[in-house]
Amino acid sequence: METRELRYFVAVAEERHFGRAAQRLGIAQPPLSRAIQQLERRLGVTLLDRANRTVALTEAGAVLLCEGRAALAAVEAATRRTRRAGSGLVLAMKAGASTELLRRLLDTYGEPVEVVLCGIAEQARMLRDGRADAALLHLPFDATTGFDTQALHTEGQVVVLPPGHALADRPHLLTAETAALPLARWPGPDGEFVDGPGPQVRDSAQLYELIALGRAAAIVPESSGTHLHRDLPAVPLIDAPTVTTVIAWPPHSRSRALAAFVHAAGLIGQAA
Amino acid sequence: METRELRYFVAVAEERHFGRAAQRLGIAQPPLSRAIQQLERRLGVTLLDRANRTVALTEAGAVLLCEGRAALAAVEAATRRTRRAGSGLVLAMKAGASTELLRRLLDTYGEPVEVVLCGIAEQARMLRDGRADAALLHLPFDATTGFDTQALHTEGQVVVLPPGHALADRPHLLTAETAALPLARWPGPDGEFVDGPGPQVRDSAQLYELIALGRAAAIVPESSGTHLHRDLPAVPLIDAPTVTTVIAWPPHSRSRALAAFVHAAGLIGQAA
DNA sequence: TGTCTCGATACTGGTGCGGTATCGAAGCGC
DNA sequence: GCGCTTCGATACCGCACCAGTATCGAGACA
């Protein structure tokens, strides 16, 4: 199966319309129809149901859409990483992750690294399609499914409260005691917010502003709670799961540069 | 980048010889030379060092070899899984894994499943190139890197001893006490045996024969130690890590059939 | 029933892939 | 040092195949 055929099929499967797919691909509709027919003939299965003037996926079509996307991403990744070979690594991380940890990692590695800030879903996509070589993730929150990982740092979590809050003087808190707090809600992987009493936030500046105003509280890893905003009280949450910062990369990827970077991460993980 | 170009490059990179690669691909040498040149021109990087009548990989070439193999495997996987869509799942497992657990899993799933027996390295390869849809692995021994997993069953380990062995009457053992035993050695992922005092074994029939003869002992999961050979004494090893049988599959793969199979596995995991 | 929309088909032209023949350079034996 | 051999690159040619235009046939809709 050729990449061209896969691109054509994925376009039709996503658009469910030969005309629009052809337009998206920048070709005319007839060659697209023929290409899909040929693909079906070569695979020996029907991929699309063209009954009733609508295009629907068959079961085999659904499988090929899913597997084909992954295969196209792998081919793109090969192209991108080959072009980038020799120049620096690209590291995808979330905004708000520990800058202190990152600084130590980059220092230990020594070579130049391009850092890209994005959301968790985008991080995974960038690793898969080769736009990034590695990503910083946080267990147990982020799924590392499909990637190799190396632990960098493990820490507890703290509750960040408005100044003068009733709980601010406590030596530590339990998760149950935070139930009544207006805990800030972050957007999930799908961009949606879960329901809850607290305000919705999209970045850490916004979060800390809301806390300072007494409108929110937040449960965050120690390092972000204590290092960034000394003026806000942060109380250890002793029964919360510990947060592990890990570096993740596609399992087959083992270029010299990436291997050295992971090795540097291992040194930091040991030291911590 | 087209799959054809990737296949050509991988062949040359593996053979380090245009003539042999062309022969392997079933084409003449000149079109192969031209295809590689065109690939290098399109990517904008040099992939091969053709100095001194030898072909060597550049750094970019090494990256493309690794990423290209993965991409080709993904394309092959798409082809195979699409062709197989609708017919039964293929499950890759190691010889000697728990048949009791497998029987329950297949019963719960209800649909026909083709079971393929192979080694651990082959299991991973089959998942990646689409010859299998899922695999049964054993944590913490097998690497599940790059796959999604669902726990099926967790159990302790036992030491299987020759009949009448001095340790056979003990209620339980510690790992330290097994140091002097001639523990059987299995071939690793690379097919090589690690060094050690015990005999080398390749299948469980051979293993149990050697134990019965008093020439070996083995540390195995409870289920294989007690269910299969009631005539050999099996002593719980209380400080050994517990063994978890998991079902693994490529993370993007979520066909209806696989989803149902994983769901069935989840039901069994809960029940256990 | 006329019309519109959509995918399939018919036919044509140009690109590009693969083949044979050959070159130029680098080892290698004598 | 000279020819021989081996290797990848180049030159040139023919054909297959891909894409484009024009058109068809079927189904939805008024």
Side-chain angles (χ1 to χ4, degrees):
Chain A
M1 191 158 35
E2 288 303 313
T3 333
R4 184 185 56 90
E5 302 177 287
L6 264 184
R7 274 194 302 269
Y8 285 9
F9 172 75
V10 169
V12 175
E14 285 179 351
E15 299 285 346
R16 309 223 153 166
H17 191 286
F18 280 75
R20 279 196 301 275
Q23 201 170 4
R24 191 173 115 184
L25 292 165
I27 64 170
Q29 170 259 321
L32 181 56
S33 283
R34 260 176 301 142
I36 302 292
Q37 286 176 58
Q38 182 183 326
L39 183 59
E40 288 181 314
R41 230 177 307 124
R42 280 218 270 253
L43 288 172
V45 293
T46 306
L47 298 169
L48 299 170
D49 226 332
R50 295 126 163 125
N52 294 334
R53 295 186 63 199
T54 61
V55 176
L57 290 176
T58 63
E59 189 169 343
V63 170
L64 185 58
L65 175 56
C66 169
E67 299 277 337
R69 277 175 177 152
L72 285 178
V75 172
E76 269 187 54
T79 306
R80 291 209 174 93
R81 296 217 172 92
T82 304
R83 283 216 175 97
R84 224 180 30 239
S87 57
L89 291 176
V90 176
L91 177 68
M93 50 183 296
K94 284 178 295 192
S98 163
T99 51
E100 165 63 16
L101 194 61
L102 178 63
R103 200 189 49 71
R104 273 203 293 150
L105 177 57
L106 298 189
D107 276 1
T108 309
Y109 175 51
E111 303 288 323
V113 170
E114 185 183 338
V115 175
V116 178
L117 297 175
C118 59
I120 164 72
E122 190 65 9
Q123 282 181 306
R125 217 171 312 139
M126 289 181 74
L127 285 186
R128 280 190 225 285
D129 69 14
R131 280 174 298 161
D133 300 296
L136 283 190
L137 300 176
H138 297 273
L139 300 179
F141 307 125
D142 304 336
T144 58
T145 292
F147 300 116
D148 254 356
T149 56
Q150 162 79 252
L152 260 177
H153 179 57
T154 300
E155 57 189 334
Q157 296 189 65
V158 296
V159 185
V160 181
L161 297 162
H165 190 279
L167 296 174
D169 294 331
R170 298 274 293 274
H172 54 250
L173 287 168
L174 296 174
T175 306
E177 299 175 286
T178 66
L181 292 174
L183 292 175
R185 290 172 292 136
W186 294 90
D190 50 357
E192 295 295 307
F193 290 91
V194 289
D195 285 341
Q200 301 179 351
V201 297
R202 296 201 166 270
D203 60 71
S204 48
Q206 194 183 359
L207 170 64
Y208 282 100
E209 199 168 333
L210 283 166
I211 299 177
L213 287 168
R215 303 288 300 273
I219 297 178
V220 298
E222 260 177 74
S223 58
S224 19
T226 55
H227 293 159
L228 293 176
H229 292 257
R230 296 177 190 282
D231 49 335
L232 294 178
V235 182
L237 190 63
I238 55 176
D239 65 341
T242 58
V243 178
T244 304
T245 305
V246 301
I247 168 171
W249 66 94
H252 63 268
S253 261
R254 270 279 168 176
S255 68
R256 276 200 308 105
L258 181 60
F261 190 64
V262 171
H263 179 70
L267 293 179
I268 289 184
Q270 273 181 345
Chain B
M1 191 160 34
E2 289 303 313
T3 11
R4 183 185 57 89
E5 302 177 287
L6 265 184
R7 273 194 303 269
Y8 285 9
F9 173 75
V10 169
V12 175
E14 284 179 353
E15 299 284 346
R16 311 223 151 163
H17 192 286
F18 280 75
R20 280 195 301 274
Q23 201 171 4
R24 191 173 116 185
L25 293 165
I27 64 170
Q29 171 260 319
L32 181 56
S33 284
R34 261 177 302 149
I36 302 292
Q37 286 176 58
Q38 182 183 323
L39 183 58
E40 288 181 315
R41 229 177 307 125
R42 281 217 269 251
L43 288 172
V45 294
T46 306
L47 298 169
L48 299 169
D49 226 334
R50 293 123 163 131
N52 292 334
R53 294 185 66 197
T54 61
V55 176
L57 290 176
T58 62
E59 189 170 343
V63 169
L64 185 58
L65 176 57
C66 170
E67 299 278 337
R69 277 174 176 153
L72 286 178
V75 172
E76 269 188 54
T79 306
R80 291 209 174 93
R81 295 217 173 92
T82 304
R83 283 218 174 95
R84 225 181 29 241
S87 57
L89 291 176
V90 176
L91 177 67
M93 50 183 297
K94 285 179 294 193
S98 164
T99 51
E100 166 62 16
L101 194 61
L102 178 63
R103 199 189 50 69
R104 274 203 292 151
L105 177 58
L106 298 189
D107 276 1
T108 308
Y109 176 51
E111 302 289 322
V113 171
E114 185 184 338
V115 175
V116 178
L117 297 175
C118 60
I120 164 73
E122 191 65 9
Q123 282 181 305
R125 215 171 313 137
M126 289 181 75
L127 285 186
R128 280 190 226 285
D129 69 14
R131 281 174 298 160
D133 299 296
L136 284 190
L137 301 176
H138 297 274
L139 299 179
F141 307 126
D142 304 337
T144 58
T145 291
F147 299 117
D148 254 356
T149 56
Q150 162 80 253
L152 259 177
H153 179 57
T154 300
E155 57 189 333
Q157 296 190 63
V158 296
V159 185
V160 181
L161 297 162
H165 190 279
L167 296 175
D169 294 331
R170 299 274 292 273
H172 53 251
L173 287 168
L174 296 174
T175 306
E177 299 176 286
T178 66
L181 293 174
L183 292 175
R185 289 171 294 135
W186 295 90
D190 49 357
E192 295 296 306
F193 291 90
V194 290
D195 285 340
Q200 300 179 351
V201 298
R202 296 201 166 270
D203 59 72
S204 49
Q206 194 183 359
L207 170 64
Y208 281 101
E209 200 168 330
L210 283 167
I211 299 177
L213 288 168
R215 304 289 300 273
I219 298 178
V220 298
E222 260 177 73
S223 59
S224 17
T226 55
H227 293 157
L228 293 177
H229 293 258
R230 296 178 191 282
D231 50 336
L232 294 178
V235 182
L237 190 62
I238 53 174
D239 65 341
T242 58
V243 177
T244 304
T245 304
V246 300
I247 167 170
W249 66 96
H252 62 268
S253 258
R254 271 279 170 175
S255 68
R256 277 201 306 107
L258 181 61
F261 190 64
V262 170
H263 179 71
L267 293 179
I268 290 184
Q270 274 181 344

